[in-house]
Amino acid sequence: MSRTRIHNLTVSLDGFATGEPQSAEAPFGHAGQRLHEWMFATRFWTLGGDPGGAADGGGSEGVDHAFAQRHSVGFGAEIMGANKFGPPGWQDDPDWRGWWGPNPPFHTPTFVLTHHPRPPMEMEGGTTFHFLEATPADALATARAAAGGQDVRIGGGPTVVRDFLAADLVDHMHLVQVPIVLGRGVRLWDGLEALEDAYDIEAVSAPSGVTHLTFTRRAVSST
Amino acid sequence: MSRTRIHNLTVSLDGFATGEPQSAEAPFGHAGQRLHEWMFATRFWTLGGDPGGAADGGGSEGVDHAFAQRHSVGFGAEIMGANKFGPPGWQDDPDWRGWWGPNPPFHTPTFVLTHHPRPPMEMEGGTTFHFLEATPADALATARAAAGGQDVRIGGGPTVVRDFLAADLVDHMHLVQVPIVLGRGVRLWDGLEALEDAYDIEAVSAPSGVTHLTFTRRAVSST
Ligand SMILES: NC(=O)c1ccc[n+]([C@@H]2O[C@H](COP(=O)([O-])OP(=O)(O)OC[C@H]3O[C@@H](n4cnc5c(N)ncnc54)[C@H](OP(=O)(O)O)[C@@H]3O)[C@@H](O)[C@H]2O)c1
Ligand SMILES: NC(=O)c1ccc[n+]([C@@H]2O[C@H](COP(=O)([O-])OP(=O)(O)OC[C@H]3O[C@@H](n4cnc5c(N)ncnc54)[C@H](OP(=O)(O)O)[C@@H]3O)[C@@H](O)[C@H]2O)c1
């Protein structure tokens, strides 16, 4: 059964998944790289965040890696928000093809939710970007149909994750809490009161200082 | 050296330390008892949250208990906010003497910050409530002078904790994160951007599902 999953979504203690302002130079605003240092230290990351990555720069293989690499296992499609795909204004640049170079680490159909759709872009390595204006449920149905029976990843950012959680479309979420207080940016938790009612939740702290939280649906949806 | 400490401060995933509305029937509003179930299961709690507690109702003695009981060890005074001392409107009730009955679990001078001060109240067991209108720094100096060389506890609620953290007056903070999303109430983290710069932070998840976070000042203040 194809499930809808979120992985490696990293938030500050105060619940921000990005700082501000987002820009081409600072995609996470004033948060800089602080949300993802835990991930950069993993073997998952030195392999390019990508099971097809060639370079082997070492990296930790403990609990941070074990969680991180699940991002790459078993997916047939990704859905992401417009603000993950590019910095503010990318919609006005006909040549923008995402942050990730010619061979993005998705290797599947990848659906970008945007109110400014454009024709699909076929990249190297199996990634094709499709641009979609649709409700979360309709976008998920489209991505599911393209996923060949594998799972669909909701790749972020926080606005899109929140919308999919609020629409009750997420089967599993892996969240990473970093012990910093960002103070401003985009919040994950707004509008999700009592989210815990639908999930079994586990927490495990890592020697790196982050805490991994997993949310697994009590009654797995069959859509 | 007398330090300023916070213990057992419990927050939801979205950073609320109480729900709303606060009332005599529901001191934590819609949060009910959900923030403190982890504590009720500890031996600390069955002893009355109090080293002088007589009843022994069992309770866990693992990591939750180890952290919880620190609340009672080494303190010579407490500072709390008006909304911890009583429900909205207690200031208009001349007979209100706090939530805790004739023998409150503080056993030290206890300073209630309020814009409606009244004469001190001597209780059984060594607790005397003093009512104070003062800045955090001045209140701390007063409590310190009364603490006989022992530590001063900032007992909450979140508004008072936030004010003392913002004024850089806290040497150690033990925080407990419960995996629920409250959505509304009083936030702890507002106005504390980059709090992590001043602290060494550790996180440890407990089998009960909560995560204990400790904040220990890098350069301990000598005030
Ligand atoms: N912390 C993490 O782990 C993590 C993970 C991923 C990303 N991020 C960061 O998060 C930030 C982006 O997050 P964000 O919350 O600002 O934005 P986002 O979720 O990436 O994108 C939101 C935008 O997508 C478009 N959109 C969303 N739903 C739509 C729908 N149903 N139909 C059509 N368009 C829709 C809208 O843009 P338009 O109206 O402009 O088209 C909306 O403003 C970036 O800084 C990124 O680097 C962090
Ligand atoms: N989650 C936890 O672990 C935990 C711990 C403790 C308490 N709580 C809960 O937190 C809630 C109370 O927190 P809260 O944030 O609403 O309020 P609070 O911090 O208890 O009290 C804030 C109030 O104290 C007075 N005050 C604060 N600073 C002052 C100063 N410098 N000078 C004079 N007066 C001052 C003001 O009241 P006035 O202007 O009205 O005098 C202010 O509104 C309660 O529901 C309580 O049960 C939770």
Side-chain angles (χ1 to χ4, degrees), chain A residues 13 15 177 189 201 213 215, chain B residues 11-15 177-181:
Chain A
L13 281 176
Q177 194 183 54
W189 298 116
I201 306 177
L213 290 147
F215 294 66
Chain B
V11 296
S12 61
L13 282 176
D14 46 347
Q177 196 183 53
V178 179
I180 60 176
V181 180

Side-chain angles (χ1 to χ4, degrees), chain A residues 8-11 17-18 22 27-28 35-36 80-85 91 113-116 132-136 155-161 163 186:
Chain A
N8 298 347
L9 182 68
T10 306
V11 296
T18 178
Q22 299 173 28
F28 291 83
L35 285 170
H36 292 99
M80 69 171 72
N83 298 352
K84 173 174 171 178
F85 184 69
Q91 295 90 343
L113 287 172
T114 172
H115 294 104
H116 304 87
L132 212 61
E133 191 169 9
T135 65
T159 302
V160 159
V161 166
D163 289 349
V186 183

Side-chain angles (χ1 to χ4, degrees), chain B residues 171-185:
Chain B
D171 297 308
H172 181 81
M173 173 166 72
H174 164 241
L175 203 92
V176 185
Q177 196 183 53
V178 179
I180 60 176
V181 180
L182 282 180
R184 53 208 161 90

Side-chain angles (χ1 to χ4, degrees), chain A residues 193, chain B residues 14-22 28 30-31 158 162 182-188 190:
Chain A
E193 183 178 332
Chain B
D14 46 347
F16 293 99
T18 179
E20 65 177 26
Q22 300 173 28
F28 292 83
H30 79 295
R162 211 165 50 205
L182 282 180
R184 53 208 161 90
V186 182
R187 288 185 195 276
L188 175 62
D190 285 3

